[in-house]
Amino acid sequence: MVNIQPSLVAEFATFGLDPSWSRTIDVPSHDGATHQWHLLDRPGTNKDAPVVLCLHGNPTWSFLWSRLLNELNADFRVIAPDHLSMGLSERVPTRAYRDRVADVNDLVTALNITAPIWIVAQDWGGAIGMGYAVAHPDRVAGMVLSNTGIAIPHNRRAPLLIRLAAATGIHRLVTKESSLFVRGTPFLPGSGISTMQRTALAFPYRRRKDRNGVADFVADAPLTSRHSSAQDIADVAEKLSNVTFPVRLVWGSHDPVFNDDFAHDLMNRFQNVALHRIANSGHLTVLETSIAPFVEAAIRENAEARPLQQPVTALNDGGTLWSQIDHWVNEDDIAITDAAADTSVTRPEFAARVATYAQALHDRGVRTGDRIAVLVPPSIDLIAVVYACWRIGAIAVIADRGLGLRGLKSAIRASRVKHVIGPMKAVAAARLLRWAPHASIIRLSGLARSSVISRLEFVSAPEPTADDLAAVLFTSGATGPAKGVRYTHRQLYAQRDALQKAYDITSADTFVAAFAPFALYGPALGIATGLADMDVTSPSTLTAAALDDACRRVGATMVFASPAALANVVKTASTDIAHLRTVRLVMSAGAPVPIQTLQAVSLLCPKAELHTPYGMTEVLPVANVSLSDLTRIGNGHGVCVGKPVSGCSVRIDPDTSELLVSAPWMSAGYDSLWLTEHNARPVLTTDSHPTVWHRTGDVGHVDAEGNVWIEGRLVHVIHTSRGPVAPVPLEIIVEAISNVVRAAAVGVGPMNVQQIVVVVETTTRNEGPADAVLTQAVRATLAPLPIASVWVTKNLPVDIRHNSKIDRTAVSKQMSQILAGSKK
């Protein structure tokens, strides 16, 4: 092995590479010759750790892995070679795909690597790595692949940019005669490559004679079955289904070359595979993004003994989500009322609508496992369509309008739906804006015109199994981009049972759902459901009159509404709310509910128990507390959410105070966010039984009585020089000050030396620094904590869906700018 040429030491240092990693080695080749390879070889500190072998694509070189080389845990040896004729390796005659795969084996043999190998690869490096893996499965422990492919996905053509680069008359011009292909690749859509990175990527290809390998790689892309490498690549693609080691995909979602179609093609080829889709990242995701956490997690996950999944069973072992609907057919009672549309359906009518939609969807080609974006506005039809999807085994992707237009677009694109269903305007928008460019479009009006099927038992489609996916639901996006959460039929049914048990729901109950997704529980519970007349994208538009009217229409015994919705109900209440006075249960969730709001609602609903379920999209319910419990418990350090519901376990992380929960109705995980799921779902052993837990992202504690207290989000904890400070206990204290409506405590400044800033809404609705009286009051109530500044704002930013969760990240960013003098 030979060290780097002295003339290149300065260049490598400029590129952020340790020159000591650079080596050349003479490698005996399968072709009978000996070839000189250049590689970056970062030693590892743990001789028992696997070796990470990084394979670049075209037109890059080993610099592509500079971030990984600098950021990966020091335990691992990292080897990043330049393919022959690429980077700083020897220029050789044209090599076909078969030779490239054999070249890797030549190099591994010459380096005498005996440890298990984790292949990390991108672009053509991925195809080469897959070829090596199927030829030498005993040597490979796993793979992390990024924006690559092994075959053209079904019903797709080769990427346009590859076809253009390979076109006769253009090929040599853009790949060899000019540097257009080399210098254009870093500009492919993504979050951005720096000037230094672009310079480094082009460094080995500055001269025309050094770009032969670039041209040869493009020429070796088999755009037709007649290509000389087509059969070799097809053989590898066919054998990928035999691969048993883990494969993890890290995918830039904005790549115009290897787009999402290629990711999902690979998802269907491997046995043990998971995808993490990175928004706003492109073709060179491995350089744009730190992929070290992905590689480390993949290796670590492979070493963990995760609990076995539940066996696949038929759904009739514990009922189905739609079983109550068929029980309704001989009853003439109301099933669902919709106040906004001033309409209702009886139980037999609703059962027939669900059955009709189910058969119509099946007739239009929707099959078990197909994902279908449900763009139907909150209505009777929305509920009917979702249950129809579930009956035929389709996966309902439900991204409600409360996410906003941009969030809705992102959710549907990320979900890779095969079908889109909705009214004409909604599906036209989806097609025009390319939310799901390859999906079939199903108009709701078309389903309504289908031949009527009176009962679900007459639907010809087979029923799904308990462990088939049923839905992808989306988080509110209050602390980052909304995430898709996967649920199986078994988990949704367990959730239905948990809610029924927690709130003693019987067939005599009826309820009003003033939050659209919650309305889906009604048919599964076998109870009538009322939809209130309100703007579902703005829960705070719910008025007392509208809620009372919804209760009247369905004879409600229960009400569910978000905190913001209930606050406006209280604000708009009058004496003419007779139907609210008869309900037995009011539930509010989605954000902390001020006890003052609950007390005010109790005056409007004197016969009702007021409860605030605690949970999240990933696990609901977790805990429950009533107004009477809160009154008895009194004030404490944070917000009391009560005791865990039956069947749910809660524990506190001793290092971070984060709440971890586990329950039979816990979701299956995140959709296309493998690393997020891995980090959020630790396996912890209790009484010799490994259990998967969910990290809630909330910090808090459990008191001596077993009550759970929430002190804020983990990402909002203020890291001061005195230690971590959770925001919620501070905010509760400040909100007790006269004229303060709502407060946000945030951190400003560098980590571990952050200063506490308090921003409040007041009855005066001013904007700017708080006056001396308010400032002194805040500092006095929070003593001995040092408060750097107190500010007043007209409106604290809140999440779109619930209008309740304060966006402390946005507040912190704004205050950092203001206090730094960059924003007024």
Side-chain angles (χ1 to χ4, degrees):
M1 215 174 256
V2 181
N3 289 327
I4 186 175
Q5 302 173 32
S7 60
L8 295 178
V9 170
E11 296 283 4
F12 272 58
T14 300
F15 298 156
L17 295 170
D18 186 335
S20 69
W21 297 338
S22 182
R23 299 283 187 270
T24 57
I25 179 174
D26 291 332
V27 176
S29 174
H30 64 280
D31 62 12
T34 296
H35 300 302
Q36 187 178 80
W37 287 68
H38 171 261
L39 60 150
L40 299 174
D41 188 352
R42 193 201 76 172
T45 59
N46 183 351
K47 62 181 179 61
D48 297 321
V51 169
V52 176
L53 177 63
C54 301
L55 301 177
H56 70 83
N58 189 36
T60 58
W61 59 297
S62 53
F63 171 79
L64 181 73
W65 307 106
S66 57
R67 289 196 63 170
L68 185 63
L69 284 156
N70 281 299
E71 296 168 356
L72 191 66
N73 188 295
D75 284 351
F76 304 105
R77 180 184 180 187
V78 184
I79 299 172
D82 295 340
H83 297 296
L84 294 176
S85 295
M86 301 292 287
L88 302 179
S89 287
E90 179 184 337
R91 275 38 180 164
V92 298
T94 299
R95 300 184 84 69
Y97 173 76
R98 177 185 301 183
D99 292 308
R100 295 289 186 189
V101 173
D103 286 343
V104 173
N105 187 54
D106 296 339
L107 179 64
V108 169
T109 301
L111 290 172
N112 194 28
I113 299 173
T114 57
I117 295 172
W118 269 83
I119 293 175
V120 182
Q122 185 263 355
D123 191 81
W124 262 101
I128 295 168
M130 286 181 259
Y132 177 79
V134 299
H136 306 279
D138 55 317
R139 301 301 319 279
V140 180
M143 290 196 293
V144 176
L145 302 175
S146 179
N147 295 85
T148 183
I150 193 63
I152 305 302
H154 182 63
N155 290 332
R156 280 291 315 277
R157 298 181 68 188
L160 176 62
L161 292 178
I162 297 298
R163 286 187 278 122
L164 288 175
T168 302
I170 298 178
H171 170 220
R172 288 284 168 179
L173 174 63
V174 300
T175 59
K176 180 182 178 180
E177 301 301 328
S178 74
S179 60
L180 182 62
F181 189 65
V182 170
R183 296 192 178 277
T185 297
F187 287 97
L188 293 177
S191 60
I193 299 292
S194 71
T195 300
M196 180 277 288
Q197 290 171 328
R198 291 197 297 270
T199 300
L201 286 168
F203 175 71
Y205 308 117
R206 292 165 295 168
R207 298 176 300 183
R208 175 180 176 277
K209 67 177 184 178
D210 287 326
R211 294 194 287 267
N212 278 330
V214 174
D216 290 345
F217 253 121
V218 172
D220 198 38
L223 302 183
T224 70
S225 60
R226 298 186 300 274
H227 191 282
S228 57
S229 290
Q231 189 58 53
D232 291 328
I233 291 178
D235 289 344
V236 171
E238 184 178 353
K239 294 174 182 176
L240 293 180
S241 61
N242 299 323
V243 168
T244 58
F245 54 70
V247 178
R248 298 296 177 258
L249 308 180
V250 182
W251 221 263
S253 63
H254 283 188
D255 186 358
V257 181
F258 292 104
N259 62 13
D260 287 344
D261 291 339
F262 285 87
H264 287 270
D265 177 74
L266 293 178
M267 288 286 288
N268 292 325
R269 292 185 183 276
F270 291 105
Q271 297 182 36
N272 181 358
V273 62
L275 166 67
H276 192 105
R277 187 175 179 273
I278 300 178
N280 302 320
S281 189
H283 184 63
L284 301 182
T285 287
V286 298
L287 193 55
E288 296 178 45
T289 304
S290 176
I291 67 163
F294 295 91
V295 176
E296 292 171 12
I299 296 172
R300 184 172 62 250
E301 183 183 63
N302 189 43
E304 291 177 348
R306 299 187 71 84
L308 295 175
Q309 297 294 316
Q310 293 173 306
V312 173
T313 57
L315 271 169
N316 58 16
D317 64 342
T320 68
L321 291 166
W322 56 87
S323 59
Q324 294 291 335
I325 297 174
D326 266 347
H327 293 164
W328 285 357
V329 293
N330 295 320
E331 301 178 35
D332 293 325
D333 291 338
I334 292 295
I336 304 173
T337 67
D338 183 350
D342 192 23
T343 188
S344 64
V345 291
T346 65
R347 295 183 171 188
E349 289 170 342
F350 182 71
R353 189 176 303 193
V354 174
T356 298
Y357 287 177
Q359 186 63 52
L361 288 171
H362 184 68
D363 291 344
R364 283 163 171 75
V366 182
R367 294 292 181 263
T368 298
D370 284 359
R371 294 187 173 205
I372 180 166
V374 181
L375 301 184
V376 182
S379 60
I380 296 169
D381 272 328
L382 169 63
I383 302 171
V385 166
V386 170
Y387 277 87
C389 290
W390 287 342
R391 167 56 184 83
I392 64 175
I395 302 166
V397 176
I398 306 172
D400 67 87
R401 287 162 50 197
L403 294 178
L405 187 61
R406 181 176 295 180
L408 189 60
K409 172 183 176 181
S410 177
I412 294 173
R413 277 194 171 180
S415 299
R416 298 290 299 165
V417 297
K418 193 171 183 179
H419 313 275
V420 175
I421 183 170
M424 185 172 65
K425 286 184 178 180
V427 296
R431 174 60 59 83
L432 180 65
L433 300 175
R434 296 185 62 78
W435 290 0
H438 304 299
S440 70
I441 298 298
I442 302 173
R443 293 184 180 179
L444 184 61
S445 58
L447 295 189
R449 292 192 295 269
S450 302
S451 298
V452 175
I453 307 294
S454 61
R455 292 174 63 99
L456 278 166
E457 64 183 358
F458 301 144
V459 175
S460 62
E463 293 189 358
T465 68
D467 296 299
D468 284 338
L469 280 184
V472 177
L473 311 176
F474 281 82
T475 62
S476 67
T479 55
K483 298 182 287 291
V485 179
R486 308 189 319 275
Y487 270 96
T488 66
H489 288 268
R490 184 194 302 277
Q491 290 157 349
L492 289 176
Y493 203 81
Q495 186 181 61
R496 171 257 185 209
D497 286 349
L499 290 168
Q500 187 173 44
K501 184 175 182 179
Y503 299 106
D504 298 321
I505 299 172
T506 71
S507 59
D509 280 310
T510 58
F511 93 122
V512 168
F515 176 52
F518 226 80
L520 295 172
Y521 291 107
L525 289 164
I527 62 176
T529 304
L531 302 175
D533 185 2
M534 60 182 294
D535 180 358
V536 295
T537 66
S538 180
S540 60
T541 60
L542 179 67
T543 65
L547 183 58
D548 188 71
D549 178 58
C551 290
R552 175 188 64 80
R553 290 169 181 267
V554 79
T557 63
M558 305 185 302
V559 167
F560 179 90
S562 73
L566 285 185
N568 198 55
V569 166
V570 171
K571 182 179 178 180
T572 59
S574 66
T575 57
D576 188 21
I577 49 170
H579 302 282
L580 277 174
R581 300 185 190 283
T582 62
V583 300
R584 72 166 185 86
L585 176 68
V586 176
M587 295 174 285
S588 186
V593 189
I595 193 169
Q596 296 88 346
T597 299
L598 294 175
Q599 290 169 338
V601 172
S602 69
L603 297 177
L604 303 179
C605 308
K607 295 183 179 180
E609 291 185 7
L610 275 78
H611 286 258
T612 60
Y614 166 69
M616 56 284 308
T617 307
E618 298 89 339
V619 195
L620 180 74
V622 170
N624 174 66
V625 68
S626 67
L627 174 58
S628 58
D629 289 334
L630 291 173
T631 303
R632 177 185 59 80
I633 294 168
N635 295 331
H637 196 69
V639 173
C640 180
V641 295
K643 293 181 173 63
V645 299
S646 176
C648 184
S649 300
V650 175
R651 64 192 298 172
I652 305 296
D653 187 315
D655 296 322
T656 63
S657 297
E658 184 178 12
L659 274 73
L660 280 69
V661 302
S662 185
W665 53 90
M666 184 171 75
S667 63
Y670 293 113
D671 192 50
S672 298
L673 291 171
W674 158 73
L675 183 63
T676 303
E677 179 177 325
H678 172 84
N679 292 337
R681 296 288 169 94
V683 179
L684 304 174
T685 301
T686 304
D687 298 328
S688 301
H689 296 291
T691 302
V692 179
W693 294 76
H694 174 70
R695 293 189 176 277
T696 65
D698 290 329
V699 294
H701 66 279
V702 178
D703 66 19
E705 294 184 10
N707 293 305
V708 179
W709 293 76
I710 304 300
E711 300 172 32
R713 298 289 293 171
L714 183 62
V715 295
H716 296 152
V717 170
I718 305 166
H719 298 275
T720 73
S721 59
R722 300 186 179 192
V725 176
V728 169
L730 279 60
E731 294 163 357
I732 292 174
I733 295 171
V734 172
E735 287 167 357
I737 297 173
S738 177
N739 296 328
V740 172
V741 176
R742 186 159 50 175
V746 299
V748 172
M751 191 66 69
N752 296 325
V753 290
Q754 287 184 312
Q755 304 296 307
I756 301 173
V757 175
V758 176
V759 183
V760 300
E761 292 178 11
T762 67
T763 55
T764 58
R765 296 179 62 82
N766 292 328
E767 195 85 34
D771 59 37
V773 174
L774 178 57
T775 299
Q776 179 57 32
V778 170
R779 286 177 171 157
T781 57
L782 297 182
L785 285 175
I787 306 303
S789 184
V790 181
W791 282 68
V792 178
T793 186
K794 292 180 180 179
N795 292 293
L796 285 166
V798 295
D799 68 297
I800 297 174
R801 177 182 284 177
H802 300 289
N803 297 167
S804 300
K805 297 178 182 178
I806 297 174
D807 188 345
R808 296 182 184 86
T809 301
V811 176
S812 176
K813 181 179 180 180
Q814 181 182 38
M815 292 310 303
S816 295
Q817 294 173 337
I818 290 174
L819 295 177
S822 59
K823 183 176 181 179
K824 296 182 180 180

